[in-house]
Amino acid sequence: MEDSAAVAGLLWDEWLPVGVRRLIAGVLPAGEVDGRRLVVWLAGVHDIGKATPAFACQVEQLADVMRAQGLEMRSGRAMGPDRRLAPHGLAGQVLLGEWLQERQGWAARQTGQFTVAVGGHHGVSPESGQIKALYDHEELLRTPGGSSAVWRQVQTELLDACADVFGVRDRLGSWQAVKLPQPVQVLLTALVIVSDWIASNPDLFPYFPQAAACDGKERLAAAWRGLDLPPAWRAVEPVGDVQEWFASRFGFAPGAQVRPVQEAAVGLAREMDAPGLMVIEAPMGEGKTEAALAVAEVFAARSGAGGVFFALPTMATGNAMFPRLLEWLQQLPDEGGGRHSVHLAHSKAALNETFAGLLAEGGRVAAVDVDAAVPMARGVQEAAGFAGAELVAHAWLRGRKKAMLASFVAGTVDQLLFAGLKSRHLALRHLAVAGKVVVIDEAHAYDTYMSVYLDRVLAWLGAYRVPVVVLSATLPAARRWQLVEAYAGMPGTEPESVAGEVAYPLLTAVAPGGRPVVRQPAASARGTDVRVERLADGLDVLADRLETELADGGCVLVVRNTVKRVLETARVLRERFGEQDVTVAHSCFVDVDRAAKDSDLLRRFGPPGRATGRPGGRHIVVASQVAEQSLDVDFDLLVSDLCPVDLLLQRMGRLHRHQRGEGQAQRPVRLRTARCLLAGADWDTPVPVAVRGSVAVYGAYALLRSAAVLLPHLDGQPVRLPADISPLVQGAYGLAPVGPQEWAPALEEARERFEQHRADQAERAAVFRLGDVGRAGRPLFGWVAAGVGDADDTRAGRAQVRDSRESLEVVVVQRRADGTLATLPWLDADSKGRRRSGLDLPREQIPASFTARTAASCGLRLPIQFSYAETMDRAIAELEQLHVQAWQHKDSPWLAGQLILALDEDCQTQLAGFALRYSPLDGLEVTRV
């Protein structure tokens, strides 16, 4: 009890962000003094439920000692299954409630909002039915008969002592009238959990200190030194010239100027009465990331936020953002001691070399995380380029449930959506986001299913007064309004001011409970006119056209909507242009090859001055949607399948992205005008018909409306970027009729299917979605009832917050002719020059750590064919036949529990009725046997 309470006090003083302390203190009569006392007291009493027969009977030897003192109890066996009705968290909640009523004179209805922090300290707040069931079995709390009074006396003595020792005796009377908002109840629960976990760590608080051990204060000080948690960030709002501020943070090249959108975003953040939600809509390449980080500094300084969470749509975008976040952190003023805890939040973060280097540096901390899911890697700190930085991937903050408590996090949006999923230890996720500025990138990329979770999370973030920055290049106006409404909760506010706004670029801001403010910054001087042409959907047609277009050389990006079309297209183009002039990029590469692909694309097609290998002749990149985001690549010509118009505009952002000479003079003459050839549809029918794969991915309605708003541009009018972005997006996603009259029946039929699909998504997503914020004073009983259990960043966990089937992930190795296993034969050396290809993977012993990590870096998510129930079950059964017992050891975390897919020496195999072929050039190809 003393350890937990003492830890809670230090967490309040040293670690908890100012904004979280303000939120708790703001509802209590004596403010911060009451806030600290309440947190310390709840942490101190949280295990009072262990002073019950139902708990104490578990160890007969110790129970006998208690019986000798008059605390009679039956044995655990004699109690039978009824013991399960009294888990010690629930028992503690009931005992504390009784004490508040009987000893402090509280009304029964007032106690639950405080005691729920005790009842929920194991991750799930009790439900009303559980509370009633325990009251019906009072013998679990106090053995009936003469011993009952002894039990009650001991329980009362402990709670009386806690009230005195933790300084709340004279405060409880004034707290009777308080109505704790539900967000405050969540934060109190989370702080009790964190305090309990730290105080329960025997490396920090030994069970049996030696006789000469230090006193309580020294014991606590030693534990806190061993834990060595970096303090919360204390942002200082920059003052003065925005140009100088941006140059100091983001390393502007000589002569570079802050863009109008960036300056306007900072200005609006400074003007707001209180930090809240800001939606930044601006073209690709306008520096929205830098604007978001700058706004985050202003918001953090004014709100007391202690960090930033940057949420991105994919692991690839998360990996790309992580070093940018670290670079920005290194330029911040040295506040709070200059040490910051950082985290890369996705399931394969430990394979990221930058993050692995920080993990190795953070490994010096004494605490041991038994829940750790992220293996430690060592020896790559210098290679990661952050050897001198005070950025710590802290040992205690590793693991599935604690990692998001780090101050600065880049990761997938799933980690944010999990805050809206009823799951065990949800309070910890809420504590993690409640103390940060949250940045949501690529907001247009989230479908209805994900948006159901995102909107509920935004409602809670608004209740926590968490500042949020939403970034999008192409956001439908109706979706903008939904985001603002979800966050601010504005009953009676007319949406026209937000949803009807079509200006571009556009800033929209609102404080929690406030009214929205709209700003229309000027666009930067940069702009591109893109001519869009129909292209018949034939591979020979495409090859012929590219032969003409590339007569004088040039770099072309061909974007297909399915991996199957990527591979079919690449095969034909290689026959025509040669293998060396065609590159393939899609999602079905093993992780290490995918990362190498991204690096290679940036090296060859990145910005002038940074890309060193741009082809001097002709080259064609055939890619799936992986080319839409995160990669700063620049091509002379774009060929795209028909897709939703916002995604087409993203693809156009890879066309003439940078200036290459005066008037693009460094590009081939034929390609100095930006052009997009639109394929993937039959354009000769009365109503265009998209290819089957595209319809399966996007639906006919979005494709038809996209084609309809593009008609004027297909008939000669160029798409002006950025001026036409908003009109095209609002037209495609609005409710007004579009397209010729003869398209109307097809559009209406497609709309009905789309609406049905969207309603189905919303209904399915709502099953496990967290409830809305309840009224102040209402206890969080049953807060996560009927939830999903633990919400982890696993294939099953991600499937809960994304409308996707559970995917199957494997580690790909090679089986040699003699039956031995090895890492893939084409892998390049690592950053230290160590060979990674063809390393032996012995089955009779644990592989060396470097070898195991190399194998794990070849993870692959199998395509959708393996996500259907029967096929998945069959595939898992076949994969489990290659079960290497030696690899399941706790000292081999890289391969333990992984499904291993072994390719033969020709890189082929069969699985669940499909033939699989893999190559580092084309990735995975799957055909039915």
Side-chain angles (χ1 to χ4, degrees):
M1 285 177 155
E2 289 177 342
D3 289 343
S4 296
V7 168
L10 283 171
L11 289 173
W12 180 276
D13 296 336
E14 306 289 342
W15 178 77
L16 201 62
V18 171
V20 175
R21 296 207 308 263
R22 286 178 187 161
L23 194 67
I24 296 172
V27 298
L28 297 169
E32 289 245 354
V33 173
D34 270 357
R36 188 184 192 280
R37 286 180 177 175
L38 176 58
V39 167
V40 168
W41 175 61
L42 289 174
V45 302
H46 81 277
D47 266 348
I48 187 63
K50 292 181 177 178
T52 58
F55 185 89
C57 71
Q58 294 179 94
V59 181
E60 195 65 24
Q61 178 184 352
L62 299 177
D64 284 341
V65 178
M66 299 178 72
R67 292 184 183 110
Q69 302 298 319
L71 295 166
E72 290 296 331
M73 71 193 86
R74 292 183 294 165
S75 68
R77 180 174 298 176
M79 285 192 189
D82 283 352
R83 273 194 60 245
R84 282 178 267 175
L85 298 175
H88 73 267
L90 171 57
Q93 175 178 301
V94 169
L95 291 178
L96 183 60
E98 288 180 349
W99 180 84
L100 286 170
Q101 294 172 57
E102 296 169 6
R103 301 282 286 183
Q104 307 301 319
W106 284 35
R109 66 178 181 277
Q110 186 70 7
T111 62
Q113 57 180 331
F114 288 86
T115 62
V116 73
V118 171
H121 81 265
H122 276 278
V124 178
S125 301
E127 301 174 41
S128 298
Q130 294 173 303
I131 300 169
K132 182 180 182 302
L134 180 53
Y135 276 124
D136 292 340
H137 291 77
E138 191 176 356
E139 73 277 6
L140 299 172
L141 299 175
R142 290 171 285 268
T143 302
S147 183
S148 177
V150 183
W151 276 106
R152 185 178 291 275
Q153 178 186 349
V154 167
Q155 293 159 353
T156 302
E157 283 181 359
L158 280 168
L159 290 171
D160 283 347
C162 286
D164 293 332
V165 172
F166 305 136
V168 302
R169 172 78 71 177
D170 62 349
R171 302 305 305 151
L172 290 169
S174 64
W175 292 352
Q176 283 191 66
V178 170
K179 290 188 176 181
L180 293 181
Q182 287 196 334
V184 172
Q185 296 178 47
V186 176
L187 295 175
L188 292 172
T189 304
L191 286 167
V192 169
I193 293 171
V194 175
S195 302
D196 180 26
W197 285 1
I198 293 173
S200 300
N201 189 318
D203 290 326
L204 298 173
F205 293 92
Y207 289 129
F208 302 106
Q210 295 178 356
C214 52
D215 63 21
K217 289 185 178 179
E218 291 176 344
R219 168 182 165 88
L220 176 65
W224 193 253
R225 284 194 303 272
L227 183 61
D228 196 26
L229 274 178
W233 176 43
R234 297 194 176 186
V236 177
E237 183 177 341
V239 296
D241 183 67
V242 175
Q243 174 70 27
E244 293 179 3
W245 172 18
F246 270 63
S248 69
R249 295 292 191 270
F250 307 113
F252 276 13
Q257 294 293 312
V258 65
R259 298 204 171 107
V261 167
Q262 296 170 330
E263 191 161 20
V266 170
L268 181 54
R270 287 171 165 171
E271 290 173 25
M272 294 175 67
D273 294 334
L277 172 77
M278 183 182 294
V279 183
I280 302 177
E281 298 172 67
M284 298 70 74
E286 280 291 285
K288 292 190 292 295
T289 296
E290 291 77 8
L293 292 173
V295 169
E297 280 196 65
V298 177
F299 279 174
R302 296 188 174 190
S303 70
V308 174
F309 173 42
F310 218 111
L312 301 118
T314 64
M315 291 185 198
T317 51
N319 285 336
M321 178 55 61
F322 189 60
R324 295 178 69 181
L325 184 66
L326 298 185
E327 289 166 6
W328 170 69
L329 276 173
Q330 289 181 310
Q331 303 307 317
L332 290 177
D334 189 20
E335 298 294 331
R339 296 177 68 242
H340 303 301
S341 56
V342 296
H343 181 60
L344 178 60
H346 61 68
S347 60
K348 297 183 179 179
L351 298 173
N352 180 285
E353 285 208 357
T354 301
F355 184 57
L358 293 172
L359 282 177
E361 180 69 12
R364 66 183 184 277
V365 183
V368 175
D369 180 10
V370 297
D371 190 37
V374 180
M376 287 191 222
R378 296 187 175 273
V380 292
Q381 175 77 1
E382 296 80 6
F386 295 98
E390 286 293 330
L391 306 174
V392 181
H394 195 276
W396 191 82
L397 292 173
R398 297 175 193 166
R400 298 184 300 273
K401 296 179 179 179
K402 295 180 294 191
M404 286 291 293
L405 293 169
S407 295
F408 295 92
V409 181
T412 57
V413 73
D414 308 69
Q415 301 295 334
L416 180 63
L417 300 182
F418 284 149
L421 181 67
K422 290 192 288 187
S423 56
R424 193 175 185 88
H425 289 110
L426 182 60
L428 288 181
R429 290 191 177 274
H430 280 230
L431 176 61
V433 295
K436 296 181 177 66
V437 178
V438 174
V439 182
I440 303 170
D441 200 7
E442 308 279 4
H444 55 274
Y446 310 127
D447 62 14
T448 298
Y449 189 96
M450 298 172 73
S451 295
V452 165
Y453 283 101
L454 180 57
D455 290 354
R456 183 54 48 86
V457 171
L458 284 172
W460 279 88
L461 293 180
Y464 287 117
R465 299 191 173 274
V466 168
V468 178
V469 185
V470 176
L471 307 179
S472 180
T474 52
L475 193 63
R479 183 64 189 135
R480 179 198 312 137
W481 163 248
Q482 291 167 352
L483 295 171
V484 169
E485 184 181 41
Y487 179 84
M490 301 170 298
T493 301
E494 293 297 323
E496 283 74 16
S497 61
V498 176
E501 186 57 68
V502 294
Y504 191 79
L506 187 70
L507 305 176
T508 308
V510 65
R515 298 180 69 86
V517 176
V518 175
R519 293 284 186 273
Q520 301 173 15
S524 67
R526 304 180 323 119
T528 304
D529 284 359
V530 180
R531 297 194 173 276
V532 187
E533 305 173 27
R534 299 174 182 85
L535 182 67
D537 193 61
L539 293 177
D540 289 334
V541 173
L542 173 63
D544 291 343
R545 181 64 179 269
L546 292 183
E547 201 157 31
T548 301
E549 298 290 352
L550 298 177
D552 300 320
C555 301
V556 180
L557 174 64
V558 180
V559 183
R560 298 305 207 190
N561 292 339
T562 64
V563 173
K564 181 180 179 182
R565 280 176 61 82
V566 169
L567 296 174
E568 290 172 346
T569 301
R571 192 173 295 115
V572 170
L573 294 181
R574 282 189 178 131
E575 291 172 357
R576 183 75 64 95
F577 296 96
E579 189 171 283
Q580 72 283 357
D581 288 337
V582 178
T583 296
V584 166
H586 55 72
S587 58
C588 287
F589 282 90
V590 298
D591 294 328
V592 67
D593 287 348
R594 171 79 182 275
K597 284 279 181 187
D598 288 352
S599 297
D600 178 64
L601 291 174
L602 287 169
R603 180 185 64 82
R604 291 193 288 167
F605 306 105
R610 287 175 23 202
T612 58
R614 191 173 184 86
R618 63 187 184 186
H619 199 90
I620 305 165
V621 174
V622 187
S624 66
Q625 294 87 338
V626 298
E628 285 175 8
Q629 54 200 13
S630 81
L631 291 178
D632 185 4
V633 288
D634 173 28
F635 291 88
D636 303 317
L637 176 68
L638 173 67
V639 180
S640 174
D641 280 349
L642 176 64
C643 62
V645 74
D646 53 331
L647 304 184
L648 182 63
L649 291 166
Q650 292 279 357
R651 296 173 187 185
M652 288 183 183
R654 275 66 189 151
L655 177 62
H656 286 216
R657 187 179 180 93
H658 299 287
Q659 192 71 24
R660 294 191 178 273
E662 186 70 28
Q664 303 288 4
Q666 295 175 9
R667 301 185 192 272
V669 174
R670 289 185 59 88
L671 305 179
R672 290 176 186 170
T673 298
R675 282 179 296 140
C676 170
L677 309 182
L678 200 57
D682 185 346
W683 298 108
D684 295 328
T685 54
V687 179
V689 178
V691 296
R692 186 173 171 183
S694 298
V695 174
V697 173
Y698 297 116
Y701 185 60
L703 297 174
L704 271 177
R705 285 195 71 97
S706 177
V709 299
L710 287 168
L711 275 177
H713 304 287
L714 289 166
D715 292 332
Q717 179 182 325
V719 174
R720 295 167 301 135
L721 301 178
D724 286 337
I725 290 178
S726 186
L728 285 169
V729 173
Q730 309 318 329
Y733 287 95
L735 300 176
V738 291
Q741 185 59 39
E742 57 267 28
W743 289 24
L747 275 164
E748 178 59 22
E749 182 183 345
R751 186 193 65 79
E752 290 176 359
R753 290 198 301 271
F754 167 72
E755 294 291 354
Q756 179 59 47
H757 174 65
R758 188 162 64 172
D760 177 62
Q761 281 188 311
E763 183 178 349
R764 285 185 289 108
V767 172
F768 295 118
R769 181 189 57 182
L770 183 65
D772 211 339
V773 184
R775 69 177 185 273
R778 181 178 180 181
L780 284 171
F781 297 157
W783 187 50
V784 295
V788 298
D790 284 316
D792 297 330
D793 194 3
T794 62
R795 60 179 186 267
R798 289 188 296 273
Q800 294 289 353
V801 293
R802 294 180 183 252
D803 188 24
S804 60
R805 294 177 178 273
E806 184 178 341
S807 58
L808 199 58
E809 294 187 34
V810 297
V811 169
V812 183
V813 302
Q814 187 170 52
R815 192 198 310 267
R816 300 178 178 128
D818 61 4
T820 59
L821 301 177
T823 60
L824 297 176
W826 58 79
L827 302 181
D828 293 331
D830 76 347
S831 57
K832 290 191 171 183
R834 292 176 293 187
R835 182 171 71 90
R836 296 191 295 180
S837 62
L839 302 176
D840 290 334
L841 289 165
R843 298 199 208 189
E844 66 283 354
Q845 64 188 51
I846 300 172
S849 178
F850 177 75
T851 302
R853 184 179 190 273
T854 298
S857 71
C858 295
L860 174 68
R861 186 173 299 175
L862 295 179
I864 194 168
Q865 293 98 315
F866 296 93
S867 296
Y868 297 97
E870 286 189 15
T871 305
M872 176 178 282
D873 290 345
R874 180 179 170 187
I876 291 173
E878 292 179 13
L879 290 165
E880 286 179 340
Q881 292 177 16
L882 180 54
H883 176 80
V884 184
Q885 187 59 41
W887 297 359
Q888 312 310 312
H889 196 277
K890 61 181 174 59
D891 291 335
S892 181
W894 295 109
L895 296 176
Q898 300 286 352
L899 294 170
I900 307 299
L901 177 68
L903 304 176
D904 63 21
E905 291 190 315
D906 295 323
C907 294
Q908 300 181 49
T909 192
Q910 291 194 4
L911 182 65
F914 291 90
L916 278 60
R917 178 181 178 275
Y918 189 91
S919 77
L921 287 177
D922 288 339
L924 183 69
E925 294 185 72
V926 178
T927 55
R928 188 174 291 277
V929 177

